[in-house]
């Protein structure tokens, strides 16, 4: 009885949903991930593609996403240096989910 | 040329992803939606089921979710009054998406 009640409540799943939001719930994270579905992008490209983001916020979100293993950052020794971001497998696996979420948004959020 | 470039950038889609996060990206929103997939819940039940949430935050998130058409709030004239929350169709449609996101989290977030 006590076990089935505990199972019903699934407290560990609630924790995980919050951990997940900690990884991809940043204001711009999904927009950045979405932009990277079509392939790696330079910092300057991301800045241009994502509307209304400023440089400081983009740096911050990308650092957070790199730390969480969603993107890989590569620096090339060009003059000036080129910085490119690519999705990891972990990030790529979000594609169908974010696409579905986007479809939901188009239908219900407007 | 100019049109295809605009299409590639899809600025309107980025905006929508941020609008979507405005609706379901609150720290507790997904946990509350997840709890309501199994059927309507009283306020006190939600408070008990969702770990680490406090009353003030639960009130705030539920108000936001009601304003966004994710949940419906019903008050019954019992003594003391009973308040129940149910997902709307808009909220229910998130079930497969949140389930997939949760699976992703189990595999990649831990």
């Amino acid at each position: 009885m006590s076990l089935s009640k505990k199972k019903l409540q699934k407290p560990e799943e609630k924790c995980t949903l919050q951990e997940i939001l900690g990884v991809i719930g940043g204001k711009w994270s999904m927009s950045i991930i979405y932009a990277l579905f079509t392939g790696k992008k330079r910092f300057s490209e991301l800045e241009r593609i994502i509307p209304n983001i400023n440089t400081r916020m983009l740096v911050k979100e990308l650092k957070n996403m790199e730390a969480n293993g969603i993107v890989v950052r590569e620096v090339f020794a060009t003059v000036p240096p080129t910085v490119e971001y690519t999705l990891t497998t972990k990030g790529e696996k979000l594609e169908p989910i974010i696409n579905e979420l986007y479809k939901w948004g188009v239908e219900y959020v407007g």
Side-chain angles (χ1 to χ4, degrees), chain A:
Chain A
M1 188 74 162
S2 158
L3 181 67
S4 71
K5 201 168 179 184
K6 208 181 164 191
K7 267 184 131 171
L8 184 70
Q9 294 182 4
K10 297 186 200 159
E12 73 283 2
E13 298 194 9
K14 307 306 180 300
C15 290
T16 306
L17 277 173
Q18 277 149 49
E19 283 167 22
I20 292 168
L21 275 187
V23 174
I24 59 152
K27 189 180 172 193
W28 306 94
S29 306
M30 281 204 208
S31 299
I32 297 168
I33 295 168
Y34 192 90
L36 291 172
F37 286 154
T38 52
K40 64 182 169 186
K41 300 274 180 299
R42 276 186 257 171
F43 185 89
S44 57
E45 285 180 283
L46 288 173
E47 205 170 14
R48 201 190 61 233
I49 291 172
I50 300 163
N52 307 322
I53 198 164
N54 64 45
T55 307
R56 195 180 56 84
M57 282 308 299
L58 183 55
V59 168
K60 198 183 154 192
E61 292 267 11
L62 284 167
K63 268 194 185 159
N64 186 37
M65 290 164 74
E66 197 188 353
N68 283 311
I70 301 282
V71 298
V72 170
R73 179 178 183 270
E74 284 178 292
V75 184
F76 298 93
T78 53
V79 180
T82 314
V83 184
E84 282 185 350
Y85 292 87
T86 317
L87 286 179
T88 59
T89 304
K90 179 176 173 177
E92 281 173 353
K93 295 280 181 187
L94 287 167
E95 182 160 6
I97 301 170
I98 292 181
N99 282 340
E100 285 305 307
L101 193 59
Y102 176 63
K103 277 192 225 160
W104 175 87
V106 169
E107 187 163 357
Y108 290 104
V109 179

